[in-house]
Amino acid sequence: MGRKLLLEHINVPGINTFDVYRSKGGYASVEKALKTMSPEAIVEEVKKSGLRGRGGAGFPTGMKWSFLAKPEGVARYLVCNGDESEPGTFKDRYLMTYIPHLLIEGMIVASFALGANTSYIYLRGEMMPQVRILERAIAEAKAKGFLGKNILGTGYDLELYVQPGGGAYICGEETALLESLEGKRGNPRIKPPFPAIAGLYGCPTVVNNVESIAAVVPIINEGGDEYAKIGIGRSTGTKLISAGGNLKKPGVYEIELGVPVEEFIYSDEYCGGIANGKRLKAVVAGGSSVPILPANLILKTINNEARLMSYESLSDGGFVSGTMLGSGGFIAYDEDACIVRNTWNFARFYHHESCGQCSPCREGTGWMEKVLHRLEYGHGKMSDMDLLVDVSKKIEGNTICPLGDAAAWPVASAIRHFRDEFEWHVTNASEATSRNYGLAHYADPLKVVETA
Amino acid sequence: MKVTIDGITVDVEPGTSILNAARQIGGDIVPPAMCYYSKLAGSGGKCRTCLVKVTKGSEKDPRPMPKLVASCRTGVMDGMEVQNITSPEVIEARKGVVEMLLINHPLDCPVCDQAGECHLQDLGFEHGAAKTRYEFDRRTFEKIDIGDKIQLHMTRCILCYRCVFTADQITNTRLHGILNRGDHSEISTYISKAVDNDFSGNMIDVCPVGALTDKTFRFKNRVWFTKPVEAHRDCDKCCGKVTLWYKGEDVIRVTGRKDVYGEVEEFICNTCRFDKKKTADWVIEGPRKVSHQSVISANHYEFTPLPVVKTNPVLMEANKEQFERETRL
């Protein structure tokens, strides 16, 4: 059994209430941090832990905190990014729903470390149940003296607010989130300046993912060195994975980073294998924005080593034969899944969610969606695949924010690994439109795995 | 601090953007800009036409930047080295941006009022592909009257946001902005509103394409059949320095004076722009100098070929390499 740090008490009845959470050792990190540690020591502890941002980019959290500008007389802010909108990713809302005090505990410690006296939890607009849960939890924590003025008599003040957004995917991008939080249209800002210098209301701001902030709690409780012992290489600690798709047991799992992908998919501790006894065809390992990999490449690297659930192992081989851990939105596809339809679906999402500020993303996402739509509905051409690859290249890296990359990578990778399936859609248009899919129609990506 | 762009080094003030550093050098190494407008705070970074490659960050940190950057919004660092037209990657990216910009922009230059003065036309000519690969229906909109003198044709809009910045920054009230998201975005006024303040006409001047047009001039003539003349008048609202556009003896259009990058030197009021259309209203200064490359100069002026670098002795000394390059790249 893998070690659980965040979800250890998730099944305790009433863990969403302050009293039960406290009886299980909750808020111990607040007492430890505020009474016995300096803000610098907390940042140092987070640095030692090797914690990497759990929102998708994987940037070292301690380093991000140390970049925060600290001018005299200027407010600093901590903003928790709970705008979880990536297709396939649903771990943060699980955490906020069932164990909200963990996030609030992490927010208090992180805010203290950063010198923030006002902090925000920004959520996607549709997540109103979670807004209510968090507001109730904040009220409980405040009533018990863990929020508000003079927390635990230490002289530290912190006000924590929950703010639902308008419900746009782009508001998960940190600068768009800040714009939205300021009450403006959620458009990404052009960087520099980075939020650590000029963020919310022009003040130094740190934006962290829900899971990253929650992970601060075990880091303070057990020490950064202990936390760093879990995991593998530069992928330390545990990670929440939201597993979906054609799995026997989809759900949110806490894994120790470094678990083999094969074990994660097939062991009973985690996903229990592919549903209905089918075979695995492909996996999107880190949410819809990361490159899709066929079964052979997700289970083994190009060097025939077991692929692990870690930042480094999943990205082994670059985008040619690897992918990214991203936000941990693990989507498995069985042999009957249509990659063309899936790619079109992703492209439709990114087209819909592009903010429209910069021309390659605004126009390119729509173009890709239209080409994929005609491929899916039997009107495609053999040249469409090259066109899609070229358009995705024109978007990638040329946009204001990473949404352009997020739109381009799934398309480019799907064509890279499943080109024969795209071609089959062109040459067998009637079968494609009748939804008669299956491995018989194109080269079987599993053969490599089975013969290995 | 020193910055080197396409092998040409120039001294600039701290805080200068790469684009403005390139403009200090001048010539064909200046990246194109569709959304950046030096007179409008916060503009730039959106159209992505000015992307450049930073091959050396600075003397302190010589690492190259991992991606192409928008030169209009990226500040120079001491010792920075930048590639613009000497980078195949930049040229390829710019070609892609032009293609994207033209996806939903109609190629109706023969009937568009902006023809001859259109930055997208120039950009397409210099960086675009000969044929489009886009085979789907284009986005179209009904024309909107956003004021009694200004016609908005969103179909031609490339969403550069310049007019929004103009309305925000040089007028008193915010009456128009962006609606919707992605390629459904459109510039519009709030319901039942019109942009009717004294400086609204400047939105026409800042529009790089033919999306915002002057109703007092629309379809009256082609720009290359007109004669631009510099003139001024005493105005209690603006500087009163304008360009008059003559057709025969008649003034058919008044605009702000634009610099070599197509940016107005000073914004003018609506009275000067729309209501003063008689020669007697103005003190004439003389013919406007027009670049020989502009279609406006056709049959009007004699010209000498544009130097690659501005005639600044210091730059000439510093930029021997470019002078040796006799032909445009």
Side-chain angles (χ1 to χ4, degrees):
Chain A
M1 283 285 282
R3 198 168 161 199
K4 305 281 183 280
L5 297 178
L6 306 181
L7 304 184
E8 187 183 357
H9 302 300
I10 195 81
N11 292 322
V12 174
I15 194 70
N16 59 340
T17 62
F18 182 88
D19 292 336
V20 176
Y21 182 74
R22 186 89 171 112
S23 70
K24 290 290 174 187
Y27 289 99
S29 70
V30 175
E31 287 186 292
K32 183 177 177 184
L34 268 60
K35 289 180 177 172
T36 66
M37 297 173 80
S38 67
E40 294 76 23
I42 298 171
V43 175
E44 203 50 46
E45 214 59 41
V46 175
K47 272 187 180 173
K48 271 193 226 164
S49 74
L51 176 68
R52 294 171 68 169
R54 305 302 199 212
F59 192 80
T61 304
M63 198 183 289
K64 190 176 193 176
W65 288 10
S66 63
F67 289 157
L68 189 74
K70 292 177 179 162
E72 283 297 314
V74 177
R76 277 166 258 157
Y77 294 102
L78 170 66
V79 178
C80 172
N81 185 352
D83 191 276
E84 189 177 48
S85 325
E86 183 106 336
T89 307
F90 45 88
K91 43 123 187 153
D92 288 343
R93 76 187 69 182
Y94 180 82
L95 198 145
M96 289 187 286
T97 307
Y98 295 108
I99 189 159
H101 283 286
L102 183 67
L103 173 60
I104 292 161
E105 185 179 352
M107 285 295 289
I108 299 167
V109 175
S111 299
F112 176 68
L114 297 168
N117 296 111
T118 307
S119 296
Y120 297 90
I121 302 172
Y122 182 94
L123 280 91
R124 188 168 169 79
E126 289 92 329
M127 291 158 68
M128 286 315 288
Q130 285 74 18
V131 170
R132 283 190 282 272
I133 288 167
L134 286 169
E135 280 178 342
R136 193 178 60 196
I138 288 169
E140 283 183 314
K142 196 166 183 175
K144 300 287 182 183
F146 283 88
L147 278 173
K149 295 274 179 202
N150 193 18
I151 296 171
L152 303 178
T154 58
Y156 175 60
D157 306 333
L158 176 65
E159 291 299 333
L160 183 57
Y161 299 99
V162 180
Q163 177 63 53
Y169 172 70
I170 190 61
C171 291
E173 197 276 337
E174 62 176 357
T175 57
L177 186 157
L178 296 175
E179 286 281 292
S180 175
L181 195 53
E182 288 178 7
K184 294 180 266 182
R185 184 185 160 96
N187 279 352
R189 294 176 184 169
I190 293 156
K191 294 185 272 191
F194 290 89
I197 308 296
L200 189 64
Y201 306 121
C203 299
T205 303
V206 165
V207 183
N208 277 146
N209 176 255
V210 169
E211 190 189 341
S212 310
I213 290 174
V216 172
V217 174
I219 290 169
I220 297 303
N221 281 337
E222 302 188 22
D225 290 330
E226 280 301 307
Y227 188 87
K229 285 177 188 166
I230 305 169
I232 183 166
R234 286 174 52 235
S235 302
T236 60
T238 63
K239 170 95 186 79
L240 297 184
I241 304 289
S242 46
N246 307 120
L247 292 164
K248 271 188 188 159
K249 295 194 296 171
V252 176
Y253 295 99
E254 184 172 4
I255 60 162
E256 289 185 26
L257 283 167
V259 171
V261 175
E262 192 165 1
E263 183 186 331
F264 181 71
I265 296 174
Y266 291 103
S267 76
D268 286 337
E269 186 185 350
Y270 300 113
C271 303
I274 306 301
N276 302 320
K278 304 249 178 171
R279 292 182 299 173
L280 179 69
K281 178 177 179 180
V283 164
V284 170
S288 66
S289 62
V290 309
I292 190 170
L293 281 186
N296 57 320
L297 285 175
I298 191 68
L299 298 178
K300 295 246 191 315
T301 65
I302 200 78
N303 300 321
N304 212 26
E305 291 164 358
R307 183 87 74 178
L308 309 177
M309 296 287 281
S310 71
Y311 292 94
E312 290 81 19
S313 180
L314 281 169
S315 60
D316 188 9
F319 282 177
V320 176
S321 62
T323 180
M324 293 164 73
L325 181 61
S327 60
F330 192 92
I331 312 171
Y333 299 94
D334 70 18
E335 58 194 87
D336 292 337
C338 174
I339 299 299
V340 180
R341 188 172 184 79
N342 181 68
T343 311
W344 168 56
N345 209 19
F346 284 171
R348 198 160 53 122
F349 173 80
Y350 289 107
H351 175 206
H352 182 262
E353 296 295 342
S354 169
C355 81
Q357 267 198 113
C358 56
S359 26
C361 176
R362 181 181 66 235
E363 309 293 352
T365 50
W367 192 1
M368 288 198 301
E369 192 219 321
K370 285 168 190 165
V371 175
L372 283 160
H373 179 270
R374 79 175 172 201
L375 273 165
E376 165 62 5
Y377 285 94
H379 305 292
K381 306 171 189 176
M382 290 305 263
S383 59
D384 280 351
M385 279 66 84
D386 289 334
L387 175 65
L388 283 168
V389 170
D390 195 57
V391 173
S392 70
K393 266 190 205 158
K394 296 278 162 59
I395 301 172
E396 187 187 340
N398 293 338
T399 52
I400 294 174
C401 78
L403 193 141
D405 298 343
W409 290 338
V411 175
S413 61
I415 295 173
R416 186 184 307 127
H417 298 300
F418 295 96
R419 194 177 184 108
D420 44 5
E421 186 168 339
F422 282 83
E423 288 174 357
W424 180 81
H425 269 251
V426 177
T427 53
N428 299 275
S430 59
E431 271 185 280
T433 49
S434 70
R435 306 278 169 268
N436 184 16
Y437 303 119
L439 284 173
H441 298 299
Y442 44 85
D444 183 354
L446 284 174
K447 276 179 187 161
V448 185
V449 176
E450 287 167 352
T451 53
Chain B
M1 49 179 64
K2 285 190 190 305
V3 58
T4 305
I5 303 171
D6 284 345
I8 300 167
T9 304
V10 63
D11 276 315
V12 296
E13 291 294 316
T16 307
S17 67
I18 296 172
L19 180 77
N20 281 327
R23 284 183 175 184
Q24 287 188 29
I25 298 169
D28 53 1
I29 63 161
V30 181
M34 299 298 291
C35 67
Y36 173 75
Y37 208 80
S38 62
K39 279 87 184 171
L40 299 171
S43 66
K46 295 178 172 62
C47 69
R48 318 305 283 177
T49 56
C50 68
L51 290 172
V52 293
K53 187 176 177 67
V54 177
T55 52
K56 180 183 170 188
S58 66
E59 289 299 344
K60 276 187 187 168
D61 183 0
R63 287 177 299 172
M65 292 190 181
K67 291 178 179 178
L68 302 183
V69 297
S71 59
C72 64
R73 293 294 292 265
T74 307
V76 298
M77 306 285 281
D78 192 27
M80 182 182 262
E81 289 179 13
V82 179
Q83 287 184 345
N84 180 36
I85 51 176
T86 51
S87 164
E89 195 183 339
V90 169
I91 299 296
E92 188 62 21
R94 205 166 281 160
K95 190 175 168 186
V97 171
V98 172
E99 188 172 28
M100 299 296 182
L101 285 171
L102 289 174
I103 279 181
N104 275 311
H105 183 89
L107 294 180
D108 61 351
C109 310
V111 297
C112 174
D113 248 23
Q114 191 82 0
E117 296 176 301
C118 177
H119 294 191
L120 186 57
Q121 204 176 22
D122 297 341
L123 186 71
F125 177 74
E126 286 165 8
H127 297 281
K131 277 175 70 177
T132 180
R133 297 180 293 174
Y134 190 78
E135 300 167 319
F136 303 95
D137 289 343
R138 261 68 171 177
R139 185 184 59 192
T140 52
F141 296 87
E142 294 295 319
K143 294 183 185 71
I144 306 170
D145 289 324
I146 58 169
D148 61 341
K149 299 284 193 337
I150 308 169
Q151 178 92 69
L152 168 62
H153 196 182
M154 259 308 297
T155 305
R156 293 199 183 109
C157 179
I158 57 162
L159 291 158
C160 70
Y161 291 55
R162 278 181 182 178
C163 61
V164 176
F165 283 109
T166 307
D168 279 355
Q169 290 173 23
I170 70 165
T171 64
N172 298 327
T173 48
R174 172 109 194 254
L175 289 167
H176 89 312
I178 310 283
L179 307 179
N180 302 324
R181 290 193 310 212
D183 58 2
H184 296 291
S185 300
E186 58 178 296
I187 305 279
S188 187
T189 51
Y190 295 141
I191 299 166
S192 306
K193 295 282 185 187
V195 185
D196 56 0
N197 55 67
D198 275 343
F199 284 80
S200 61
N202 291 297
M203 290 174 5
I204 301 166
D205 276 350
V206 302
C207 182
V209 293
L212 287 162
T213 45
D214 178 349
K215 278 193 191 171
T216 66
F217 174 69
R218 272 170 72 82
F219 304 126
K220 285 197 173 164
N221 212 325
R222 306 315 317 230
V223 69
W224 51 90
F225 294 138
T226 61
K227 288 186 180 177
V229 170
E230 306 285 48
H232 68 267
R233 64 181 280 269
D234 278 337
C235 179
D236 54 359
K237 284 186 268 186
C238 71
C239 64
K241 293 176 184 170
V242 301
T243 302
L244 306 178
W245 299 78
Y246 276 90
K247 178 187 181 184
E249 300 299 314
D250 302 325
V251 177
I252 58 169
R253 180 169 72 149
V254 181
T255 66
R257 291 183 192 175
K258 292 189 178 178
D259 63 16
V260 66
Y261 302 110
E263 296 182 2
V264 291
E265 288 162 4
E266 284 182 84
F267 292 115
I268 60 168
C269 68
N270 284 4
T271 308
C272 289
R273 183 185 302 274
F274 298 123
D275 300 336
K276 302 293 176 186
K277 295 279 181 76
K278 289 178 186 162
T279 303
D281 295 327
W282 298 96
V283 177
I284 304 295
E285 295 173 17
R288 175 175 172 73
K289 284 184 182 168
V290 178
S291 160
H292 81 286
Q293 290 167 313
S294 169
V295 69
I296 304 169
S297 72
N299 305 319
H300 287 310
Y301 301 102
E302 293 195 357
F303 59 87
T304 50
L306 186 77
V308 178
V309 173
K310 282 178 183 171
T311 51
N312 178 334
V314 179
L315 290 176
M316 286 167 73
E317 183 60 32
N319 303 321
K320 283 176 186 165
E321 186 186 328
Q322 193 177 6
F323 279 102
E324 285 161 10
R325 204 168 61 206
E326 289 182 351
T327 54
R328 274 174 66 85
L329 291 177

